[in-house]
Amino acid sequence: MRVKFWGVRGSIPTPLRPSEVEGKVIAMAEDVVRAGITDADEVAGYLRRRHSMLQRGTAGGNTTCVSVEWPGSMLIIDAGSGIRVLGEQLMEGPCGRGEGELHIVLSHTHWDHIQGLPFFAPLFQRNTVHIYGCHDNLEQRLRYQQQPDHFPISMDAFLARLEFHRCAPGEPVGLPGGARFIPHRLDHPGDSYGYRVEHDGSSLVFASDSEHKPNDPENHHGIIDFFRDADLVVFDSQYTLEESIIKEDWGHSSAIVGVDLAAHAGVKRLALFHHEPSYPDSFIHNLLMKAQTYRDVNHNGCGLELFVAVEGIDVTL
Ligand SMILES: [Zn+2]
Ligand SMILES: [Zn+2]
């Protein structure tokens, strides 16, 4: 399976401000000069070797959207603003001719997870789009977003044939090409649902938005089983550990808690995801460094690999 991140930001789209872009350009230019590089052809390679995408670029400002591909089909998880860019790419294939069949599963209907849907180009061609979710009234919730009070174009303007499918926690849903996903209820205001996607022995767990309280053993053990031996867990690490304690019941977690859960569950890779809008790239980079130190001190030898989910990157499982 190939997992690609189209939107990684939590809560609200968060483009870099012009002054932040300027700051990054100046810092990189200064570094190139300090390194004594005078050949323009060497600049890109030098910066890519020396600085992570968080430093030379950004984590990305679009809200939640992740795609998972396997031979024969794909699953799109959530329709935050990142789905707009995915839609543009899909229009280069069968979706552009109205011959596509897509599968979208929604964790929940908070704005940052559905606000990209009205801008998803394949909906404006005669494609077939299956929309899965565990909440009731899923279609009405999406229609409400596009009522005239909130949006100029109603869902009736979509040419695509929409098919809604209600899922239930713990009950696998089959997809074309031999893949399946299993929903799991997460601790979040209004409920959110995580999804474990499995194909040909590989597994991805998408678990955002979610709070994890250590004093809730039932939830804790349920999550460990849900994460068990996954190749990749995409984890809601919106807050620092301190902030997650202050903002109890806001429905989000931290990288430190993610490391504990993933290490206990035998997870191979953990993606820090749903980044807090007020955290700059440098701060998110530091969260990764602290989480790696925490892992090395508390779970030495567990083999868990950590990385920051960055818009545009893909991971093969
Ligand atoms: Zn969210
Ligand atoms: Zn939410």
Side-chain angles (χ1 to χ4, degrees):
M1 291 194 294
R2 190 172 74 112
V3 179
K4 185 160 183 177
F5 295 94
W6 301 91
V8 298
R9 187 68 57 170
S11 305
I12 187 170
T14 313
L16 279 183
R17 293 187 299 278
S19 60
E20 292 174 306
V21 175
E22 182 189 46
K24 284 173 180 276
V25 170
I26 291 172
M28 292 298 114
E30 288 174 346
D31 188 49
V32 167
V33 170
R34 270 195 296 272
I37 294 173
T38 54
D39 183 347
D41 291 340
E42 290 181 20
V43 172
Y46 168 77
L47 291 177
R48 285 179 182 140
R49 283 193 305 276
R50 188 172 162 85
H51 300 285
S52 72
M53 185 56 101
L54 280 179
Q55 295 163 315
R56 65 176 195 272
T58 179
N62 279 307
T63 58
T64 301
C65 181
V66 176
S67 65
V68 199
E69 273 181 85
W70 57 90
S73 194
M74 75 185 297
L75 179 67
I76 300 165
I77 305 175
D78 278 352
S81 65
I83 201 172
R84 184 184 64 82
V85 186
L86 168 59
E88 286 173 2
Q89 183 176 307
L90 289 169
M91 289 297 280
E92 295 169 11
C95 286
R97 304 187 296 274
E99 298 169 359
E101 181 159 12
L102 297 174
H103 302 267
I104 302 173
V105 66
L106 299 176
S107 61
H108 61 317
T109 51
H110 286 164
W111 284 330
D112 53 323
H113 299 258
I114 61 169
Q115 65 197 159
L117 204 64
F119 302 90
F120 187 52
L123 290 170
F124 294 91
Q125 295 286 341
R126 298 195 180 280
N127 297 301
T128 300
V129 180
H130 301 270
I131 300 182
Y132 304 82
C134 295
H135 292 85
D136 58 0
N137 304 322
L138 193 56
E139 181 174 358
Q140 287 93 322
R141 290 171 185 231
L142 297 180
R143 284 191 172 279
Y144 181 72
Q145 175 177 233
Q146 293 183 237
Q147 283 186 0
D149 286 348
H150 305 294
F151 201 76
I153 308 295
S154 95
M155 277 177 59
D156 292 332
F158 293 158
L159 295 178
R161 187 162 60 92
L162 297 183
E163 290 192 19
F164 287 86
H165 306 268
R166 178 107 186 251
C167 316
E171 292 185 9
V173 177
L175 293 168
R180 67 175 195 167
F181 68 82
I182 305 159
H184 182 87
R185 193 175 71 80
L186 301 171
D187 185 1
H188 191 67
D191 289 341
S192 177
Y193 291 85
Y195 298 100
R196 184 179 175 109
V197 188
E198 299 174 335
H199 177 266
D200 199 20
S202 301
S203 50
L204 157 75
V205 171
F206 175 90
S208 189
D209 302 10
S210 188
E211 186 164 352
H212 302 277
K213 294 175 185 153
N215 57 359
D216 182 358
E218 194 177 317
N219 174 31
H220 185 77
H221 288 300
I223 282 290
I224 297 286
D225 287 340
F226 183 51
F227 285 9
R228 181 82 63 200
D229 298 328
D231 294 300
L232 171 64
V233 171
V234 177
F235 188 79
D236 175 351
S237 60
Q238 176 150 349
Y239 298 141
T240 62
L241 182 61
E242 298 88 331
E243 199 165 2
S244 72
I245 294 166
I246 294 166
K247 293 182 173 174
E248 189 179 356
D249 293 330
W250 285 39
H252 301 289
S253 191
S254 68
I256 299 297
V257 169
V259 168
D260 276 340
L261 294 173
H264 283 133
V267 169
K268 294 186 183 67
R269 282 187 275 189
L270 185 75
L272 309 186
F273 185 77
H274 204 271
H275 309 307
E276 160 66 31
S278 66
Y279 292 173
D281 290 308
S282 55
F283 195 90
I284 296 171
H285 178 75
N286 284 340
L287 289 181
L288 174 66
M289 296 296 111
K290 285 180 182 170
Q292 286 174 335
T293 302
Y294 180 82
R295 172 202 60 194
D296 294 343
V297 171
N298 294 282
H299 302 283
N300 191 20
C302 72
L304 174 67
E305 181 189 326
L306 300 174
F307 67 95
V308 171
V310 167
E311 203 174 302
I313 65 168
D314 58 61
V315 179
T316 300
L317 308 181

